[in-house]
Every structure is written in C-alpha cells, then in structure tokens.
Amino acid sequence: MSLQKKWVDSFQLFENKEDILKNKRQEAIIFFEQKGFPTKKDEAWKYTSLSTLLKNDFEILVSKQTSLTSEDVRPFWIQEDSHKVVFVDGVYSSELSQVQSDSFMVSSFREILKSEDAADFTSKYFDRETRKDDVFTALNTAFSKDGICIYIPKNKVVEKPIELLFLATDLGKAMCYQPRNIIEVGENAQVKIIEMHHNLSTQKVLTNVVTEIFVDKNAILDYYKIQNDSLTSSMIDNTYISQEGNSNASVHTFSFGGELTRNNLNFYHHGERLESTLKGVTILSGTQHVDNYTLVNHAEPNCESHQDYKAILSDNSAGVFNGKIMVEKIAQKTNAYQQNDTILLSKKATINTKPQLEIFADDVKCSHGCTVGELDKDALFYLQTRGIPKKEGEALLTYAFANTVLESVRIPALEDRVSEMISVKLGTGVLI
C-alpha cells in the first residue's frame, strides 16, 4: 500500500474528522487523494525529490503519548527568562509549559476547537491566507489535531521571547505530525517568537507544520525558526504571514539539522508602508537537503521587503533557493530586495538558486541576485599566516559570510546559541 493511500484510509479513523472543521477537512483529504504528493515534475518541487522520504511507513494517527519531565526539555531552551510552550508527540503539554503573563493569551488549537468560540475563531483565522493548491497544507488541514494559538492584544509589548518547542518521542514506529499554529499580533503590539522541533527517538519523524500569522497595523513581529534536528527527522514547513499597514514582520530561518527540510514562507501585504524581512542561514553536510521557497506579494503601494539567504554546503549536501517577489499593478513605490549567496565547501555539494521578480507596477525599486563560490583562499591563507589553523580559519570566514543574517537577530541569547551551532556544524571547537 502506498503512503498516500494509507493516509487517505487513515482519515476515516481520525478522531477529529467530524469536528467544526469537518467540511474543510473533507475537502482537504479529497484534494490530497486526487493530487497526491508533489514530484520533480512540479515546477515548485523541481529540485527536491520526496521519493526517499516517502518510502518510510509513517503513521499519521498518534495512538499514545510519552511523558517527559522539565529536566528532559531544559537543554533545548534558548533563554532562561522566557515564556515556554511545549508540545509532546503533537499534543500541548500544560505541565511542561511556562507562560507567566496576563499581557497576551495562549491556548492550544485543540482546546479552542472545543470551545464556545470555535466557530468565530475558525471563520476569522483558519485557512484564511493559505495556498489552496498546496498539498501539504491540505494534508495539515485534514489531520491537524493540535498546535498553539497566540493572541497579543492591542498596544501590548511582550518583553520576554515566547519559545515554542515541539518534541517527538519514541513511539516504536515512524511518525508524521501535523501541528497547526495561529498567531495574531494586535495593533501596535510587539512580540518575539522562537520555534524549534526536536526528535528524541531513533525512529524517523516527519513534521508537516502550518503556521498562520496575522500582523495588525503598526505591529512588530520577530519570528525565529531553529532547525537543528537529528538526521532521523524531516520537515515540511508552510508559514503564511498577513500584514496590515505600517507593520513590521521579520522571519529568520536557521537550517542546520534534519535529513530533508522544505520551508515555504509566504508574505501577503494588506496595507501601505509596511516592511517584510526574510533572512536565512543554511549550513549542511552529508546528504542533507534544504529547500527554501519564498513569496512576497506586494499588493499595496509604498511597501518594502528584504530577503537575504546564505548557504554553506559541504560533502554531498544540496540546497535550493526559489524566491519570488510579486508586485501588483497597484503597488507603486515598492522597494524590494532579494539576495541568495552560497559557499560550496565540496565539489559534490550542489545548489539550485532561482531568484525571481514578477512586476506589474512601473514606479518601483526592485533587485535580485545570487552568487555561488568557494571560500576566499587568499583570506584563508592570510589567517593561516597569522597562526590560525585552517579549520578555525574556515569557521571565521564562514561566520563573516553569514553575519549579515546574524546581525539582525534581536535576542542576544539566540544569537549566541546560533553562533555555537555554527561552530559545531563546522566541526571546530572555536566559539565565534
């Protein structure tokens, strides 16, 4: 039996298939059944093959949950003084979570679907900005059981970061999880959020996560994705961000771990004078594969977007960057920038990069570009003549290469942790 058919059949046993979202779920599973998994014949997946991943016999229904302690999760936290939200095997854990604030609201997606406000909530937020032609978003819609819902009220500033930690334990079989996250940052509100996923078992795990974020007028969102999981893990990440006028939303994606990762990051503009920032650092080795697929839809005048993605690839690893800036006819005075730079540390490492501009307005400033090359041998030789070993010299040059992304991180503890991850990934004991 194919994985597709197994999952379609599993829907009949899904405990939530008759909840308030039953119509959307039914439409989504029919779409998945008809469409199937994307292949390299699909333009958007031309450089990313799922054939090896889909040979795993993933279970999509979770039959049990493992208990963890606060000591089990402590090593994963970025900052001691933060709001902490924990999911274990796809289910929210109130015992492990630590949210101590009355300035914003946190609830599990599962609990909201059971509440009296479920109809209003789902009609306002659920599936509002998602791409209806995306198979994995549809799959998540069909099977989403839990996730985090965060609401930052008007004029509230959340001083401490919110850390979202999704843990997978050993359930004795390969598992696929479907978190569904919905976040609203109210007018004039501000928040910083860190999202992390970790597989604690030796079993294969696929996480298919969908996050819908709504950034209201004059609001500020800083979102950080830390992808440093084990090689038994793969991820399909669909994030949809809707921005209102004068808002500022930034997403930093740090991809160091995992077997296969696909990041679909979509920004939609619904007001003037807003700013969108998309930045990422990818460092891969072995046969790791990371595909960053971005879209910024400029649909209003006088807005800005900035994209800066760096990749450092070694061994037989592969990177993909497919970024699109779309400027609608009405979106005059748009200022959009897109850049993708890659360093190849091995002759067998590969990068496929495709920055794109689709412009229908005539009064804009838009640019895009990419570079692919090796580390500067002259600079490396200079460092070696000053007594710095080659490995450490490569780490220093690599850090300098990625610094344009790190310098905009607004959480010092996170910047330190990412620097440490870079050091470990490069195989040097030097902490930069």
Side-chain angles (χ1 to χ4, degrees), residues 241-258:
I241 299 181
S242 171
Q243 285 186 254
E244 300 293 336
N246 294 291
S247 64
N248 189 317
S250 68
V251 176
H252 290 66
T253 304
F254 299 102
S255 301
F256 306 140

Side-chain angles (χ1 to χ4, degrees), residues 37-67:
F37 292 107
T39 69
K40 297 184 76 172
K41 293 181 180 179
D42 297 291
E43 183 64 27
W45 291 82
K46 184 176 181 180
Y47 303 111
T48 297
S49 172
L50 297 175
S51 58
T52 301
L53 177 69
L54 299 182
K55 290 178 182 178
N56 294 288
D57 190 26
F58 291 111
E59 294 290 339
I60 204 164
L61 302 181
V62 181
S63 58
K64 60 180 180 179
Q65 184 182 2
T66 303
S67 296

Side-chain angles (χ1 to χ4, degrees), residues 298 305-308 321 323-325 327 334-340 355-359 364-370:
H298 286 268
S305 68
H306 308 275
Q307 299 186 55
D308 185 11
F321 177 78
K324 177 183 285 189
I325 296 172
V327 183
T334 289
N335 183 3
Y337 167 83
Q338 183 185 72
Q339 185 68 32
N340 174 229
Q356 303 172 70
L357 298 177
E358 195 168 322
I359 303 172
V364 301
K365 291 182 179 179
C366 296
S367 65
H368 65 168
C370 66

Side-chain angles (χ1 to χ4, degrees), residues 24-25 27-29 31-32 38 45 126-144 178-180 208-212 236-240 264 266 268:
K24 285 185 176 291
R25 294 188 190 279
E27 292 172 1
I29 198 65
F31 176 77
F32 172 65
W45 291 82
F126 189 83
D127 219 22
R128 195 176 99 185
E129 288 280 19
T130 59
R131 291 187 56 171
K132 305 307 183 285
D133 62 343
D134 183 80
V135 170
F136 284 100
T137 298
L139 190 63
N140 182 282
T141 295
F143 285 101
S144 54
Q178 312 280 333
R180 188 66 169 238
N208 178 36
V209 56
V210 172
T211 302
E212 299 179 75
I236 310 295
D237 184 335
N238 274 288
T239 299
Y240 302 91
N264 296 325
N266 305 273
Y268 300 102

Side-chain angles (χ1 to χ4, degrees), residues 92-108:
Y92 175 67
S93 172
S94 58
E95 295 81 6
L96 298 177
S97 300
Q98 302 172 29
V99 181
Q100 301 172 342
S101 177
D102 56 2
S103 63
F104 64 97
M105 288 175 275
V106 171
S107 180
S108 75

Side-chain angles (χ1 to χ4, degrees), residues 3-171:
L3 190 63
Q4 179 187 353
K5 187 176 189 318
K6 175 180 178 177
W7 286 0
V8 170
D9 291 347
S10 295
F11 183 73
Q12 300 307 315
L13 303 175
F14 182 45
E15 61 186 87
N16 291 57
K17 70 182 178 68
E18 295 296 332
D19 66 7
I20 195 170
L21 296 173
K22 63 181 180 180
N23 292 334
K24 285 185 176 291
R25 294 188 190 279
Q26 188 64 42
E27 292 172 1
I29 198 65
I30 290 173
F31 176 77
F32 172 65
E33 183 176 17
Q34 295 174 344
K35 187 80 171 179
F37 292 107
T39 69
K40 297 184 76 172
K41 293 181 180 179
D42 297 291
E43 183 64 27
W45 291 82
K46 184 176 181 180
Y47 303 111
T48 297
S49 172
L50 297 175
S51 58
T52 301
L53 177 69
L54 299 182
K55 290 178 182 178
N56 294 288
D57 190 26
F58 291 111
E59 294 290 339
I60 204 164
L61 302 181
V62 181
S63 58
K64 60 180 180 179
Q65 184 182 2
T66 303
S67 296
L68 297 176
T69 68
S70 57
E71 292 302 315
D72 294 326
V73 303
R74 185 183 299 277
F76 300 106
W77 297 125
I78 301 295
Q79 183 169 310
E80 186 66 30
D81 186 22
S82 65
H83 303 288
K84 298 173 172 61
V85 177
V86 182
F87 285 78
V88 179
D89 299 327
V91 177
Y92 175 67
S93 172
S94 58
E95 295 81 6
L96 298 177
S97 300
Q98 302 172 29
V99 181
Q100 301 172 342
S101 177
D102 56 2
S103 63
F104 64 97
M105 288 175 275
V106 171
S107 180
S108 75
F109 180 67
R110 182 173 59 168
E111 290 303 316
I112 284 185
L113 291 184
K114 297 177 182 178
S115 70
E116 296 179 355
D117 299 325
D120 291 339
F121 176 84
T122 54
S123 63
K124 183 178 180 181
Y125 298 111
F126 189 83
D127 219 22
R128 195 176 99 185
E129 288 280 19
T130 59
R131 291 187 56 171
K132 305 307 183 285
D133 62 343
D134 183 80
V135 170
F136 284 100
T137 298
L139 190 63
N140 182 282
T141 295
F143 285 101
S144 54
K145 178 180 178 181
D146 209 351
I148 196 64
C149 297
I150 300 174
Y151 173 60
I152 314 298
K154 181 178 179 179
N155 297 322
K156 293 293 184 180
V157 177
V158 182
E159 299 291 347
K160 299 188 294 185
I162 301 174
E163 298 192 52
L164 310 179
L165 178 60
F166 296 82
L167 298 174
T169 66
D170 194 341
L171 300 183

Side-chain angles (χ1 to χ4, degrees), residues 209-324:
V209 56
V210 172
T211 302
E212 299 179 75
I213 303 176
F214 304 91
V215 187
D216 293 340
K217 294 178 181 178
N218 302 299
I220 299 177
L221 166 73
D222 288 307
Y223 206 100
Y224 303 93
K225 296 176 179 288
I226 312 300
Q227 298 168 347
N228 193 34
D229 208 350
S230 68
L231 293 177
T232 55
S233 302
S234 294
M235 173 180 288
I236 310 295
D237 184 335
N238 274 288
T239 299
Y240 302 91
I241 299 181
S242 171
Q243 285 186 254
E244 300 293 336
N246 294 291
S247 64
N248 189 317
S250 68
V251 176
H252 290 66
T253 304
F254 299 102
S255 301
F256 306 140
E259 181 180 17
L260 183 149
T261 303
R262 166 72 175 228
N263 294 308
N264 296 325
L265 181 56
N266 305 273
F267 278 73
Y268 300 102
H269 291 180
H270 298 294
E272 295 190 43
R273 296 177 178 83
L274 58 81
E275 185 173 348
S276 305
T277 302
L278 302 76
K279 293 192 174 186
V281 175
T282 299
I283 304 179
L284 305 180
S285 58
T287 58
Q288 288 181 285
H289 184 106
V290 170
D291 184 341
N292 288 304
Y293 192 99
T294 69
L295 167 67
V296 180
N297 183 19
H298 286 268
E300 297 288 346
N302 303 299
C303 296
E304 296 187 12
S305 68
H306 308 275
Q307 299 186 55
D308 185 11
Y309 279 77
K310 309 288 188 183
I312 301 137
L313 311 177
S314 62
D315 301 329
N316 292 288
S317 61
V320 180
F321 177 78
N322 194 331
K324 177 183 285 189

